[in-house]
Amino acid sequence: MATAYHNLSDYDFNSVPNAEEMKFGIVVSEWNDKITGALLDGAINTLKKHGGIMKEISVKALAKVNLGLDVVRKRPDGYHEVRMIMQTIHLFDRLEITRNQSGRITMSTNLAFLPTNENNLVYKAAALLKEEFDIGDGIDVKLHKHIPVAAGMAGGSTDAAAVLYGMNRIFDLGLSKEDLMTRGVKLGADVPYCIMRGTVLSEGIGEILTPVAALAEGIGEKLSALPPMVKCPVLIAKPQIGVSTKFVYENLKLDADTVHPDIDGLIGAIRAKNLEQIAGHMGNVLETVTIPNYPVIAEIKEHMMEHGAAHAMMSGSGPTVFGLFANGDTAVAAYEAMRESNLAKQVYLTSIYNNAR
Ligand code: ATP
């Protein structure tokens, strides 16, 4: 079954730095993993003891889906208050970050349509730390982009989070996870979550807000870790349409008829580690806008359900749909059927990712 999973798992190597890497001051890190994190710390200390400096780090930037997304109310100032259950999945971009002496921030990526200048969140994250810590050296970033772009999977935010993490290591800034989250919120409301990762309840004002407003409202403080989600296969399908987050929120009607997902019930089901119960409580209020406007989203959901998903739902403001499966073989068959259906341009089979914290 493993071979049928998306070939990103090919990148999923053991990250213990070997002697050759140590010699050149290159350390490859499996971000945040408890064991390899400790090994990495040990490796960096050894490197420092021998007068070496860390020159390069390779970091995974993991995507998220929303197991639940509710908009509680629209405030008079136009901001939407949300309650979301965020879940990290094992679909990721990889960032190779190399220290340079030119002092410049440069980046390249496999996707030609992405900006590689100061409009990329990778650049913004690097510039933020470089300025605050008055870092003379620069960095070159190679971004291997796999997470669907503008798709409700926090792709840009997780890349920014990975740069903050990587630069903290390379330049030995000594920042804690909380310190990184405080910096992250300046870049985007989802960045603190991408640093935290796992199964998290996010409350407050949502992703359409400016980062500064998010900081003022303390979005980082409103992230609460939940017990780890049941580990199961996750099928991802992104149709070839663009959905504007602004359009979705502007067209969201909240009235007495609005069916809100039961976020508290979902939290209970996650605590109970019962996939069937979780599936029964999943919901995304933003589908009330996207499904009537983009019927392909409903078609993809139906396709996944017909092929045995415990539940299928849109992530964030879409258009990506994800399905959770109780059984690996069923998930593989659904993945193959989805690829043949031509409903979606990007199709991945991946899994729930939970850090041991
Ligand atoms: P969210 O789930 O937080 O709403 P998203 O999946 O909708 O995020 P992103 O993939 O983060 O959206 O990208 C949205 C826009 O941001 C893109 O159109 C792109 O031009 C820009 N962008 C800037 N930096 C990046 C990056 N590193 N990766 C992807 N997009 C980026």
Side-chain angles (χ1 to χ4, degrees):
M1 191 183 74
T3 51
Y5 275 62
H6 182 261
N7 63 11
L8 277 179
S9 56
D10 296 346
Y11 290 92
D12 201 1
F13 46 82
N14 188 336
S15 59
V16 181
N18 64 31
E20 196 58 19
E21 287 171 334
M22 289 291 294
K23 203 164 88 192
F24 294 104
I26 296 168
V27 180
V28 180
S29 155
E30 167 81 18
W31 174 17
N32 249 6
D33 180 275
K34 240 185 182 172
I35 300 166
T36 48
L39 282 170
L40 183 61
D41 286 338
I44 292 171
N45 286 338
T46 313
L47 193 65
K48 277 198 252 168
K49 238 189 265 167
H50 291 89
I53 57 162
M54 195 172 173
K55 292 188 190 135
E56 184 178 304
I57 191 166
S58 171
V59 185
K60 277 182 185 176
L62 276 73
K64 63 91 180 162
V65 291
N66 295 97
L67 297 174
L69 195 163
D70 192 19
V71 179
V72 181
R73 68 176 181 125
K74 189 174 174 182
R75 299 194 321 199
D77 58 12
Y79 292 146
H80 293 83
E81 272 182 30
V82 293
R83 287 190 91 211
M84 310 187 278
I85 309 280
M86 321 280 274
Q87 176 60 55
T88 308
I89 56 169
H90 207 228
L91 171 66
F92 56 89
D93 297 339
R94 182 171 284 286
L95 288 87
E96 289 171 47
I97 306 173
T98 311
R99 182 178 185 143
N100 70 41
Q101 289 183 334
S102 72
R104 292 177 56 225
I105 301 166
T106 70
M107 70 170 290
S108 60
T109 173
N110 55 316
L111 293 188
F113 63 85
L114 278 184
T116 51
N117 55 15
E118 62 282 357
N119 292 324
N120 198 299
L121 279 164
V122 163
Y123 189 103
K124 286 186 180 151
L128 185 137
L129 289 187
K130 190 166 152 52
E131 196 184 316
E132 183 183 342
F133 292 91
D134 203 13
I135 300 169
D137 281 0
I139 57 164
D140 305 314
V141 182
K142 253 194 218 165
L143 169 64
H144 303 273
K145 189 88 203 160
H146 305 289
I147 302 170
V149 175
M153 304 192 78
S157 304
T158 194
D159 293 343
V163 170
L164 297 181
Y165 171 84
M167 283 183 73
N168 188 33
R169 292 286 196 179
I170 287 189
F171 295 106
D172 203 12
L173 303 178
L175 298 172
S176 67
K177 190 165 75 178
E178 287 70 27
D179 293 336
L180 292 177
M181 287 167 70
T182 311
R183 269 99 187 151
V185 79
K186 296 180 190 168
L187 299 163
D190 280 348
V191 179
Y193 165 71
C194 293
I195 291 163
M196 191 171 172
R197 308 207 300 197
T199 313
V200 170
L201 170 66
S202 170
E203 295 174 289
I205 44 180
E207 52 209 19
I208 55 162
L209 288 184
T210 63
V212 176
L215 183 64
E217 288 293 318
I219 249 199
E221 292 152 32
K222 290 182 184 173
L223 292 175
S224 334
L226 298 172
M229 163 73 182
V230 176
K231 203 162 164 52
C232 66
V234 182
L235 178 58
I236 303 288
K238 182 193 172 267
Q240 196 173 16
I241 52 168
V243 175
S244 141
T245 303
K246 195 164 173 272
F247 168 86
V248 175
Y249 277 93
E250 275 176 5
N251 286 280
L252 178 67
K253 288 191 183 56
L254 296 176
D255 54 34
D257 296 332
T258 309
V259 180
H260 291 271
D262 175 9
I263 299 292
D264 291 323
L266 180 55
I267 293 171
I270 291 169
R271 284 192 198 289
K273 301 204 174 298
N274 182 325
L275 186 59
E276 209 178 311
Q277 214 179 313
I278 290 166
H281 284 93
M282 283 166 62
N284 181 346
V285 77
L286 302 182
E287 286 183 348
T288 58
V289 181
T290 53
I291 287 187
N293 284 286
Y294 305 97
V296 67
I297 293 173
E299 285 173 47
I300 294 175
K301 283 178 57 156
E302 275 159 34
H303 193 277
M304 287 191 190
M305 294 304 288
E306 278 164 15
H307 288 82
H311 195 66
M313 198 178 88
M314 185 180 81
S315 182
S317 56
T320 304
V321 174
F322 69 97
L324 303 183
F325 289 80
N327 175 291
D329 293 339
T330 313
V332 170
Y335 163 79
E336 279 160 8
M338 183 62 72
R339 281 176 61 108
E340 277 161 29
S341 75
N342 284 327
L343 285 170
K345 189 166 180 261
Q346 283 172 285
V347 184
Y348 300 106
L349 185 54
T350 178
S351 62
I352 295 289
Y353 180 98
N354 279 310
N355 281 323
R357 256 177 276 270

